[in-house]
Each structure stands twice: as structure tokens, then as C-alpha cells.
Amino acid sequence: MSTTPVILHLRAETKPLEHRAALTPTTTKQLIDAGFQIFVEESSQSIFKSEEYEKVGATIVPEGSWPNAPKERIIIGLKELPENETFPLVHEHIQFAHCYKDQGGWKDVLKRFPEGKGTLYDLEFLENDQGRRVAAFGYYAGFAGAAIGVSDWAFKQTHPDSENLPGVEAYPNEDALLVDIKKDLAAALAVNGGKYPTGLVIGALGRCGSGAVDLFKKVGIPDANIIKWDMKETAPGGPFKEIVESDIFVNCIYLSQPIPPFVNYETLNVPDRKLRTIVDVSADTTNPHNPIPVYTIATVFNDPTVPVETKVGPKLSVCSIDHLPSLLPREASEFFSRDLLPSLLLLPQRNTAPVWVRAKQLFDKHVARLS
């Protein structure tokens, strides 16, 4: 093994409202203890303060300084680089790049790496020997989505249909979020005779679904009111009347092939529908296989829901925010970074460690498609 330490440079995130970080002070300390050198950019957006990193031994550098950093540094971040930047990339990069599935503009994103002789290790495709992602934000996506779901259902109990759920902002921690959601729920129970909502979660056995179920439990919704579905329950094929008979529906599965829809306008347009809130955590708005084909808008934190255009029954809304874990940036980052740590510790052997070799091979494969 090389005696030269691996040098990681944590770049500041630039995507609006992105408060998460790929490295936390906790994982930074563990990496430094393992012999890594860590540079951390100052960040105007991060939930973590520069002093938290400095305290554990990281070197703080100016925000946005990574392009001029020495070539031997590995640049690590979360979200994609700004689209208006086109200069060649000379470093090794660890990030979500969103350019391996023929997304719009993928060639422009990817070509910057070979142009600068840089390398991309895409976080979405860092997988273990079983083909499972080594780190994902799924748990807190489900947790945050269910929180907005409960808040929206409660809002409908206490406000007229002419009003939509107001915007939400990132919370400093999970406890602060739970205080607010419990308060919303208590206000709703005070006016509806103490009747708790029923929440149905599809994909309940996965990371995302377990997060949604945990949120329901932590805000005090009785277990009897939490319906947990997974592949077994959805195998017969939708639409499912059980969804329409629930108050809150949280979809935690991403589909890559068409299946019958879970709900459609026909099943929703019934006078005895209970369903008031749909949270589509997959937020697969433009996918033709979307199993919830009753909305077309990706919602955002400052306008978290969009009404479904039903003709019968009570008001129904969808939340389809595509970066839900940002509602709890500290916990989501800690959760993700902790899962990523074992792979990061293998970076000194990245030319032979399977998790990094596979990521490099995938990069090479897609670069070959550019020509």
C-alpha cells in the first residue's frame, strides 16, 4: 500500500437549498484518524459549520477553491456541478453526476472528465459485491416525506380547501421536526374528534419505506393505523382500493418497468374517498412508468404540494419533492456519510478494491459512448 496519504477535498455544494454534505465532521475525524488528509471548503449553505471540521483536524479552504486545488486531491461532493461551468476536470471526483442514464445533457456533463483527464466515481453506482448501493439517502427521504404527508393531512383538517400547505424549511435536527409535526397533528385531532390518520406505505421493507413508517410511529400514530405494503401486497396489480381508503399514501418505490397504476382518476373520483395526501417519494414525475399518474409537477420545499384535479370527494394533494432528505440535512448527511465511510477507507487501494474498480469501469464504459 502506498505511504502517500489520500487527500480528500470536500467542495461546497452550490445547488439551491442543498444543506447536506458528503463528509460530516464525524466521518472527517475517522478518515483523519486513518491517515487521510482532509480539506474542507467554507460553505454558505452547509448545515455543518467550518469550525466543526476544523475542530477534528481538517484544513479549511475558501468556498469554490477546488478547481485550482493540486491535482492529487480527490474532490468529493454530493450534487452535480453547476451546468454553466464547462472547463475540463483534471481531478478524481466522487459525487452524484446524473449522467449515466441518458439524462438531458449527459454528454456535456461527462465529457468534461476525459477533456481534463479526470475521473468520475458516481455515488449512485458505488455498489457492494451483492450489487446494492453502499450508501443512499433513502431512509431520510421516506422520513421527511412522511412528515410532510402528516403535516398536509393535518393542515386540511384545520384550514379551508382554498389554502395549500405553506412552504417548509430545513430543520436543524430531527427533534425540531418532530415537535412541529406533533403540534400539527394535535391541532388536527382537536377538531376531528381525536381520529388519527391511517397511513399506507408501499415499499415499507426498504430503506425509504422504513423511514416513513418510523416517522409515523414517532409522531404518535398508532401501529394499527400504519399499513405496511411491499412486493407481496402489490403483486396482484393495481389500482388498489386500500390506498383510496387510507388518509395518507406514501410511495417509496422506484419503477423501471411498467406496472398497473397504484391509483388513477377512476379510483380517486369516488364520493367516499378518504385519501387526502399522496407523498411520492420517488418523485418520478416524468417517467412514463410512474405508478401514480395523477400529477405532472415536481413540487419544492417552498410550495410542497400540488392539488390533484379530482371531480368527486374531498381535496387531494401530492407532494413530489425530489430532494426530501434536505429537510433534515444533519441527520441525512450523518446517515449517508457513515454508510459511505467503509468504501472511503478503501481509497488507498482504489485501483484494486472492487467497489472502486467497478465504479471506474462504469465511468470508462460511458466515456466510450461519447465517441
Side-chain angles (χ1 to χ4, degrees):
M1 186 172 75
S2 170
T3 55
T4 307
V6 170
I7 307 172
L8 286 172
H9 182 121
L10 177 65
R11 61 174 172 82
E13 299 295 330
T14 55
K15 184 170 182 172
L17 302 176
E18 182 52 80
H19 307 296
R20 295 172 293 173
L23 296 181
T24 68
T26 307
T27 46
T28 296
K29 182 182 188 309
Q30 290 170 296
L31 288 164
I32 290 171
D33 288 348
F36 284 60
Q37 216 177 326
I38 310 286
F39 290 84
V40 174
E41 290 188 2
E42 294 172 329
S43 172
S44 51
Q45 295 187 185
S46 177
I47 189 71
F48 302 102
K49 299 186 187 310
S50 297
E51 304 84 70
E52 295 180 69
Y53 291 102
E54 197 169 29
K55 196 173 176 181
V56 298
T59 301
I60 308 304
V61 293
E63 184 162 358
S65 60
W66 66 265
N68 300 314
K71 197 174 168 184
E72 66 268 17
R73 292 188 197 173
I74 300 173
I75 312 301
I76 184 168
L78 277 182
K79 303 305 285 186
E80 61 273 21
L81 298 171
E83 290 180 9
N84 60 353
E85 294 177 353
T86 58
F87 56 86
L89 299 171
V90 302
H91 299 88
E92 294 173 272
H93 285 257
I94 301 171
Q95 65 181 67
F96 289 101
H98 305 298
C99 61
Y100 286 175
K101 296 178 181 175
D102 294 346
Q103 292 96 333
W106 72 271
K107 289 185 176 181
D108 294 329
V109 173
L110 191 59
K111 72 179 183 181
R112 296 176 63 191
F113 293 93
E115 283 175 354
K117 296 187 170 56
T119 300
L120 168 65
Y121 300 105
D122 196 307
L123 286 166
E124 185 177 353
F125 299 95
L126 277 187
E127 296 178 343
N128 62 19
D129 293 343
Q130 290 73 46
R132 183 170 169 82
R133 282 173 60 178
V134 299
F137 282 102
Y139 178 87
Y140 277 102
F143 194 93
I148 292 176
V150 173
S151 188
D152 181 67
W153 175 85
F155 186 86
K156 287 185 170 77
Q157 312 304 304
T158 55
H159 291 76
D161 283 356
S162 57
E163 296 181 33
N164 290 336
L165 181 70
V168 295
E169 294 183 348
Y171 283 86
N173 53 59
E174 182 182 308
D175 289 344
L177 169 70
L178 291 173
V179 167
D180 274 4
I181 305 304
K182 286 178 179 177
K183 195 185 300 178
D184 292 345
L185 187 57
L189 297 176
V191 299
N192 79 350
K195 195 163 189 263
Y196 281 90
T198 297
L200 189 151
V201 179
I202 290 187
L205 298 181
R207 283 171 168 150
C208 176
S210 64
V213 169
D214 283 356
L215 180 283
F216 285 154
K217 289 180 176 179
K218 286 187 176 184
V219 298
I221 294 175
D223 281 357
N225 286 42
I226 304 171
I227 303 167
K228 300 180 273 261
W229 277 22
D230 213 87
M231 292 175 70
K232 177 186 170 186
E233 289 80 9
T234 58
F240 300 105
K241 64 179 178 58
E242 291 89 345
I243 293 175
V244 178
E245 293 167 354
S246 303
D247 296 292
I248 304 166
F249 165 43
V250 183
N251 177 46
C252 290
I253 69 161
Y254 173 85
L255 286 180
S256 57
Q257 54 190 4
I259 64 166
F262 294 154
V263 292
N264 57 22
Y265 284 110
E266 188 179 346
T267 58
L268 294 176
N269 281 318
V270 292
D272 59 347
R273 169 174 48 81
K274 283 181 64 185
L275 186 65
R276 305 299 306 274
T277 302
I278 296 172
V279 181
D280 191 5
V281 180
S282 71
D284 214 11
T285 315
T286 59
N287 189 332
H289 309 321
N290 184 356
I292 308 170
V294 296
Y295 75 100
T296 56
I297 296 170
T299 61
V300 291
F301 283 124
N302 57 10
D303 193 10
T305 64
V306 59
V308 177
E309 294 177 6
T310 53
K311 296 175 180 174
V312 185
K315 180 181 178 180
L316 173 63
S317 306
V318 172
C319 169
S320 56
I321 296 169
D322 67 2
H323 56 127
L324 281 164
S326 293
L327 192 64
L328 284 171
R330 183 172 288 269
E331 281 90 349
S333 298
E334 292 285 11
F335 196 89
F336 179 86
S337 193
R338 183 194 70 206
D339 284 355
L340 184 61
L341 180 64
S343 298
L344 293 176
L345 289 169
L346 292 173
L347 277 170
Q349 301 96 43
R350 61 191 176 281
N351 292 330
T352 55
V355 64
W356 296 106
V357 170
R358 283 190 292 264
K360 176 65 163 62
Q361 288 171 340
L362 194 60
F363 167 71
D364 291 339
K365 172 187 167 184
H366 286 283
V367 166
R369 297 174 62 211
L370 291 172
S371 52

